[in-house]
């Protein structure tokens, strides 16, 4: 078991199978010491979390959805890198929140993914970030999160 696998177990987290892309892209591209992870959608209990913040999704449910996106980012990284111990640093997360025009708590929602990265990687999980509201996301998802991650050589 790797150090990060041990940490995930301590947190009570089990990584799902890495989700297959839903269009013409790949889930992870590793180049120049960085892994670029495509936007991941939130699956909780095997079901896609859909809806709009400020309309029919609470901040708490949105935060849980963002955490689920973070879990899928970890699953994608493990599938692509072979081990999460290759993660040197979470460099940046990009958070997209399906929200109404007057909803302004996107940063609180995306904290679900940000706090997960710090819980898993400690200081190496602290990252730059964007958290933006959008009028619609693929498949009606409530949240989508992508990542840029510094990686150690294999």
């Amino acid at each position: 078991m790797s150090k990060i696998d041990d940490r995930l177990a301590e947190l009570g987290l089990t990584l799902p199978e890495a989700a297959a892309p839903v269009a013409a892209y790949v889930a992870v591209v590793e180049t120049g010491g960085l892994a670029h992870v495509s936007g991941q959608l939130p699956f909780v209990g095997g079901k896609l979390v859909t809806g709009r913040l400020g309309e029919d999704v609470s901040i708490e449910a949105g935060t849980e959805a963002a955490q689920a996106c973070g879990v899928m980012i970890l699953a994608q990284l493990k599938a692509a890198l072979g081990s999460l111990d290759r993660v040197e640093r979470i460099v940046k997360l990009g958070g997209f929140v399906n929200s109404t025009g007057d909803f302004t708590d996107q940063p609180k929602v995306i904290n679900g993914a940000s706090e997960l990265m710090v819980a898993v990687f400690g200081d190496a999980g602290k990252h730059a970030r964007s958290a933006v509201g959008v009028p619609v996301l693929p498949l009606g998802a409530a949240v989508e999160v992508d990542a840029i991650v510094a990686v150690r050589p294999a």
Side-chain angles (χ1 to χ4, degrees), residues 30-42:
E30 183 184 352
T31 184
L34 297 173
H36 297 262
V37 184
S38 295
Q40 300 299 305
L41 300 181

Side-chain angles (χ1 to χ4, degrees), residues 89-122:
R89 174 95 195 234
I90 305 299
V91 176
K92 184 171 187 208
L93 295 182
F96 305 90
V97 180
N98 182 351
S99 53
T100 60
D102 61 347
F103 183 82
T104 59
D105 284 327
Q106 291 84 0
K108 287 181 185 175
V109 171
I110 301 303
N111 278 348
S114 292
E115 291 168 359
L116 172 69
M117 296 304 162
V118 174
V120 172
F121 297 106

Side-chain angles (χ1 to χ4, degrees), residues 38-62:
S38 295
Q40 300 299 305
L41 300 181
F43 288 88
V44 174
K47 184 177 179 202
L48 179 65
V49 179
T50 61
R52 178 168 290 156
L53 279 287
E55 187 174 275
D56 58 356
V57 177
S58 68
I59 290 175
E60 295 77 21

